[in-house]
Amino acid sequence: GQQLNQSPQSMFIQEGEDVSMNCTSSSIFNTWLWYKQDPGEGPVLLIALYKAGELTSNGRLTAQFGITRKDSFLNISASIPSDVGIYFCAGRKSGGSNYKLTFGKGTLLTVNP
Amino acid sequence: DADVTQTPRNRITKTGKRIMLECSQTKGHDRMYWYRQDPGLGLRLIYYSFDVKDINKGEISDGYSVSRQAQAKFSLSLESAIPNQTALYFCATSHGGTDTQYFGPGTRLTVL
């Protein structure tokens, strides 16, 4: 099935640094979602975006729905050790298959204290 | 209490055995999903259900079956487990309005 191009695949950063990751697609999506997955656990929804150009924050996390509707970005400011995990983007199209989420392969984030 | 629960959390079984994974939710959502996650392959949809009487195959339904016993319960069965079904399995739920999906904690299944 179709995959989103998520980058980078992994990041190693120092505590306190800011982090940016993104997802791109050749297709247009009407919803973008960002999830975080801790080892051995299910993905947890961080931010949901429903309109092109939308910029939404959740604490130190900020995500944007790209104007072209083909991309989305997630930024984490002032990283802390508990930010460690895998971050997934997911996109949803409208129409008959609007249940279906297309997932990126994830960005593995490591934060060194 | 968790909104989406899965049982068991871990299971080791042998080739050829029948296995059932269960999912329950208290979110009141009408839609439920089953995914598997493999390293490097991300999340892949196995089956989904929009209500009790509506069951649909996803990308990789071969070797799996499901049952929607009630709005809050959706179970996944492996009729005759094989080693390449070793994976993490996740249940998810959503409300038809926004379709934002919420995931359970997962079941780690190992087929020997």
Side-chain angles (χ1 to χ4, degrees):
Chain A
Q2 180 185 2
Q3 288 274 340
L4 297 176
N5 298 312
Q6 185 171 350
S7 64
Q9 287 186 328
S10 62
M11 303 180 73
F12 294 84
I13 62 170
Q14 293 297 125
E15 183 176 357
E17 291 183 354
D18 297 343
V19 172
S20 291
M21 59 190 79
N22 69 83
C23 274
T24 61
S25 173
S26 57
S27 300
I28 289 174
F29 290 95
N30 289 332
T31 300
W32 284 94
L33 307 171
W34 284 94
Y35 291 88
K36 182 192 177 198
Q37 185 178 18
D38 292 327
E41 301 294 331
V44 173
L45 182 67
L46 298 174
I47 293 178
L49 302 161
Y50 300 107
K51 291 174 60 177
E54 181 180 356
L55 184 71
T56 297
S57 293
N58 178 5
R60 293 177 295 104
L61 278 61
T62 302
Q64 185 161 24
F65 192 141
I67 290 291
T68 65
R69 296 163 64 192
K70 294 182 177 181
D71 57 9
S72 181
F73 304 86
L74 176 69
N75 296 316
I76 306 173
S77 63
S79 59
I80 59 178
S82 62
D83 290 335
V84 166
I86 302 175
Y87 292 80
F88 291 98
C89 61
R92 180 174 69 86
K93 299 179 181 180
S94 64
S97 298
N98 67 356
Y99 66 91
K100 189 178 184 302
L101 291 181
T102 301
F103 287 90
K105 292 188 176 182
T107 295
L108 174 61
L109 178 63
T110 303
V111 180
N112 296 317
Chain B
D1 289 339
D3 295 319
V4 184
T5 57
Q6 292 183 235
T7 56
R9 293 295 312 277
N10 289 283
R11 182 72 184 269
I12 299 173
T13 191
K14 295 182 179 180
T15 298
K17 293 291 188 181
R18 186 178 187 274
I19 296 297
M20 179 181 286
L21 309 183
E22 299 188 358
C23 176
S24 295
Q25 53 112 348
T26 58
K27 298 182 79 68
H29 289 167
D30 49 348
R31 300 182 175 189
M32 299 185 75
Y33 311 79
W34 276 104
Y35 291 89
R36 66 176 280 175
Q37 185 179 42
D38 300 275
L41 294 178
L43 286 156
R44 294 183 290 168
L45 183 64
I46 306 172
Y47 270 95
Y48 63 100
S49 169
F50 282 177
D51 64 38
V52 174
K53 296 182 179 179
D54 181 76
I55 304 288
N56 303 279
K57 294 182 177 180
E59 304 169 63
I60 53 163
S61 59
D62 288 348
Y64 301 95
S65 62
V66 291
S67 174
R68 186 84 182 265
Q69 300 96 324
Q71 188 188 36
K73 296 184 183 296
F74 193 34
S75 60
L76 176 72
S77 294
L78 287 67
E79 297 302 323
S80 179
I82 56 177
N84 76 2
Q85 291 178 313
T86 294
L88 267 172
Y89 289 85
F90 291 102
C91 172
T93 74
S94 72
H95 173 59
T98 65
D99 264 332
T100 299
Q101 293 184 22
Y102 297 85
F103 287 81
T107 294
R108 182 173 294 280
L109 177 65
T110 303
V111 183
L112 303 177

